[in-house]
């Protein structure tokens, strides 16, 4: 009896073949855009102390309440597979004393994240995000620059996305607003979904996110946070909007925009694409001026975003970075394996992309394989003699000493 086959866990996937080259393009474009704007790459660990997310992301969020992969390690510590990247980046900023550097410190990442969510197209349990965080300045130009960079990345990758924008103000204005919203929700309690009713005290803002018909209709007449902003926050938001207009960035102010994480203050935004169906959020983020202090650091402003790589791939059309087609395919028959191996090594040290026959196919099979790989030349090595065959341009064939074949290919490629 054969052993049962194993599958990748639900909500996870393997990255294969062309997919990995398309992802490499996304990464290369992100790197070019973000490093060109002064962002430095950061890698943080896959596992973090559970407390980082409980404190950073917020105890009342879906992420912390039901989506974290948490384990206890051999030393009894509670660790969690990172569900997002902002809290880890802030932890690293504090841990490495980055507040002593010139501000803002700009950091970017492309990593995988983990959330125990209901898996479906565009929503996975292990997914990849590209993210950018700018720490240490509350200047509205930081917000605008950050948003414009994500807009540029999405445009370059062929993602057709709409930008929605709002401001959540300061924690003080939010508290004042929350009370008004709670009063409104209690007045309409009978038409609300059970989930929203259960969260009136803990997280009333999430009511704006609900798909429930009764809740949606109650929310149409709900007070809007934007009307409760303090003067400084309103001026900050107006400046962000003006800078985006200056950059000719199209956006819609959407006061019902809420994000699933608790750390936001002031600017929040989301890029959505109609090409995605239910999971329409391609990327989003905002300001989190209280997060670094919440994690034990000095009071530090922060602004950033993350975009899902799988959603970019679903909604966009990033070009595959050409798979390396071989300049030369080293074919061999009989007992010429070692001589062929020598040609392979010599070709690679001369800077050619080279592949060798590795499956002991018939000569016909080998030529077929070289054709499938798109090889330009095939060297059919037979000990001291080699037949060099041009796979394009009329199929020239020429017999030569095996020791000269790499030179012959280099010369021909140079003369092309
Ligand atoms: P988020 O909105 O939770 O924000 O995630 C950002 C993006 O990650 C989403 O727009 C979506 O494209 C992708 N994403 C999220 N969950 C999944 C999933 N289960 N499967 C596939 N893709 C997913 C954050 O994570 C914040 N840390 C963003 C941020 C950075 N805010 C400030 N700085």
């Amino acid at each position: 009896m054969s052993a049962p086959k194993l599958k990748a866990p639900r909500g996870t996937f393997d990255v294969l073949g062309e997919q990995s080259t398309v992802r490499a393009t996304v990464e290369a474009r992100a790197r070019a855009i973000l490093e060109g704007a002064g962002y430095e790459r950061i890698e943080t660990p896959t596992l973090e102390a559970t407390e980082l997310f409980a404190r950073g992301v917020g105890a009342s969020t879906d992420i912390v309440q039901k989506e974290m992969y948490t384990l206890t390690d051999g030393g009894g510590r509670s660790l969690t597979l990172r569900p997002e990247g902002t809290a880890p980046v802030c932890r690293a900023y504090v841990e490495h004393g980055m507040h002593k550097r010139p501000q803002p410190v700009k950091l970017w990442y492309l990593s995988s994240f983990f959330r125990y969510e209901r898996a479906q197209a565009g929503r996975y349990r292990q997914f990849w995000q590209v993210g950018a965080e700018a720490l240490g300045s509350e200047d509205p130009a930081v917000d605008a620059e950050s948003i414009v960079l994500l807009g540029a990345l999405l445009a370059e990758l062929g993602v057709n996305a709409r930008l929605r924008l709002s401001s959540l103000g300061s924690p003080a204005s939010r508290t004042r607003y929350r009370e008004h919203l709670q009063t409104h929700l209690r007045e309409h309690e009978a038409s609300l979904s059970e989930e929203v009713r259960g969260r009136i005290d803990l997280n009333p803002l999430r009511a704006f996110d609900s798909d429930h018909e009764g809740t949606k209709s109650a929310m149409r007449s709900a007070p809007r946070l934007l009307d409760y902003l303090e003067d400084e926050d309103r001026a900050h938001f107006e400046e962000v909007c003006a800078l985006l207009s200056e950059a000719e960035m199209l956006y819609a102010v959407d006061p019902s925009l809420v994000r699933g994480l608790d750390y936001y203050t002031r600017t929040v935004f989301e890029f959505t694409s109609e090409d995605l169906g239910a999971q329409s959020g391609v990327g989003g983020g905002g300001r989190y001026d209280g997060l670094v202090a919440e994690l034990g650091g000095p009071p530090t402003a922060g602004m950033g975003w993350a975009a899902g790589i799988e959603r970019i791939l679903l909604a966009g059309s990033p070009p595959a970075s050409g798979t390396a087609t071989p300049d030369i395919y080293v074919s061999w028959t009989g007992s010429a394996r070692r001589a062929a191996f020598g040609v392979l090594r010599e070709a690679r040290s001369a800077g050619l992309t080279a592949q060798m026959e590795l499956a002991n196919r018939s000569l016909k099979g080998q030529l077929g394989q070289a054709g499938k790989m798109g090889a330009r030349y095939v060297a059919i090595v037979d000990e001291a003699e080699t037949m060099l065959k041009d796979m394009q341009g009329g199929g020239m064939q020429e017999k030569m000493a095996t020791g000269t074949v790499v030179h012959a290919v280099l010369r021909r490629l140079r003369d092309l």
Side-chain angles (χ1 to χ4, degrees):
M1 209 179 67
S2 58
K5 284 190 188 132
L6 298 174
K7 285 185 166 179
R10 192 169 161 68
T12 72
F13 51 85
D14 301 304
V15 176
L16 302 173
E18 196 189 330
Q19 277 295 312
S20 70
T21 66
V22 183
R23 282 167 181 262
T25 307
V26 175
E27 178 161 355
R29 297 290 157 90
R31 181 184 297 281
I33 289 178
L34 293 169
E35 294 188 355
Y39 281 78
E40 213 178 277
R41 179 83 182 240
I42 181 170
E43 301 284 351
T44 61
T46 309
L47 282 169
E48 293 273 2
T50 302
E51 192 192 344
L52 173 64
F53 303 110
R55 262 209 267 163
V57 174
S60 70
T61 60
D62 278 352
I63 293 182
V64 171
Q65 283 197 345
K66 47 189 185 195
E67 294 173 359
M68 296 206 301
Y69 284 94
T70 296
L71 58 94
T72 306
D73 75 2
R77 297 170 200 89
S78 179
L79 300 176
T80 291
L81 288 174
R82 57 183 172 202
E84 64 99 50
T86 311
V89 166
C90 291
R91 189 230 359 101
Y93 177 89
V94 176
E95 190 167 333
H96 301 287
M98 289 192 233
H99 60 281
K100 294 186 202 120
R101 293 208 217 161
Q103 307 291 299
V105 174
K106 297 171 168 183
L107 302 164
W108 78 281
Y109 48 89
L110 194 155
S111 328
S112 62
F113 295 88
F114 305 83
R115 295 183 193 175
Y116 184 67
E117 292 201 78
R118 210 157 33 80
Q120 60 186 78
R123 189 159 73 194
Y124 308 97
R125 292 178 176 169
Q126 179 177 5
F127 56 96
W128 270 255
Q129 281 184 346
V130 52
E133 315 287 354
L135 289 134
S137 168
E138 57 173 26
D139 196 292
V142 173
D143 307 45
E145 176 184 59
S146 160
I147 297 171
V148 166
L149 288 171
L150 178 54
L153 178 63
L154 295 177
E156 206 167 310
L157 297 171
V159 178
N160 193 359
R162 266 170 29 101
L163 169 59
R164 295 187 301 140
L165 186 70
S166 188
S167 175
L168 300 181
S170 63
S173 60
R174 212 150 69 227
T175 309
R176 212 153 44 88
Y177 166 72
R178 259 171 73 115
E179 284 161 14
H180 285 91
L181 181 62
Q182 281 164 335
T183 309
H184 177 84
L185 290 172
R186 289 209 182 87
E187 279 165 15
H188 293 78
E189 201 157 345
S191 49
L192 301 178
S193 75
E194 210 180 303
E195 200 184 353
V196 170
R197 237 181 293 145
R199 283 189 176 181
I200 294 181
D201 288 326
L202 208 55
N203 200 348
L205 266 122
R206 293 301 302 275
F208 283 109
D209 251 357
S210 173
D211 289 332
H212 178 256
E213 278 312 318
T215 308
K216 281 207 295 207
S217 109
M219 296 319 285
R220 269 178 221 124
S221 56
R224 301 284 164 164
L225 178 51
L226 275 180
D227 300 326
Y228 287 77
L229 295 188
E230 278 151 25
D231 292 347
E232 258 182 54
D233 297 333
R234 181 183 314 283
H236 189 275
F237 185 56
E238 280 167 5
E239 189 60 16
V240 173
C241 292
L243 289 164
L244 289 174
S245 302
E246 184 67 36
E248 293 179 6
M249 187 94 206
L250 293 177
Y251 62 87
V253 173
D254 181 351
S256 71
L257 179 64
V258 277
R259 309 247 323 124
L261 304 103
D262 275 357
Y263 46 62
Y264 293 112
T265 51
R266 294 189 160 174
T267 312
V268 282
F269 72 98
E270 213 155 73
F271 281 92
T272 51
S273 167
E274 280 165 15
D275 302 325
L276 279 177
Q279 306 304 314
S280 64
V282 194
R287 217 167 235 296
Y288 43 88
D289 292 344
L291 181 54
V292 171
E294 182 70 39
L295 298 176
T300 306
M303 165 76 202
W305 50 257
I309 300 294
E310 292 72 36
R311 296 204 190 160
I312 289 178
L313 296 178
L314 282 171
S317 49
S321 62
T323 37
T325 50
D327 297 318
I328 177 170
Y329 188 88
V330 187
S331 159
W332 58 276
T333 51
S335 57
R337 181 192 284 112
R338 291 184 193 169
F341 200 64
V343 173
L344 176 74
R345 200 188 61 85
E346 197 191 330
R348 287 186 181 156
S349 14
L352 295 173
T353 48
Q355 296 254 14
M356 171 181 163
E357 170 58 25
L358 294 174
N360 209 358
R361 275 173 276 249
S362 69
L363 187 55
K364 188 163 168 248
Q366 297 189 31
L367 290 174
Q369 178 64 13
K372 272 189 219 148
M373 286 182 174
R376 177 63 208 258
Y377 292 96
V378 178
I380 305 166
V381 179
D382 180 12
E383 303 284 358
E385 280 216 317
T386 290
M387 173 76 86
L388 183 63
K389 193 171 156 58
D390 188 343
M391 299 292 276
Q392 292 168 20
M396 170 289 302
Q397 297 204 30
E398 193 185 326
K399 216 170 222 178
M400 57 189 71
T402 296
T404 63
V405 70
V406 169
H407 272 288
V409 170
L410 284 169
R411 198 175 53 236
R412 286 186 163 81
L413 286 173
R414 200 183 47 223
D415 292 346
L416 277 180

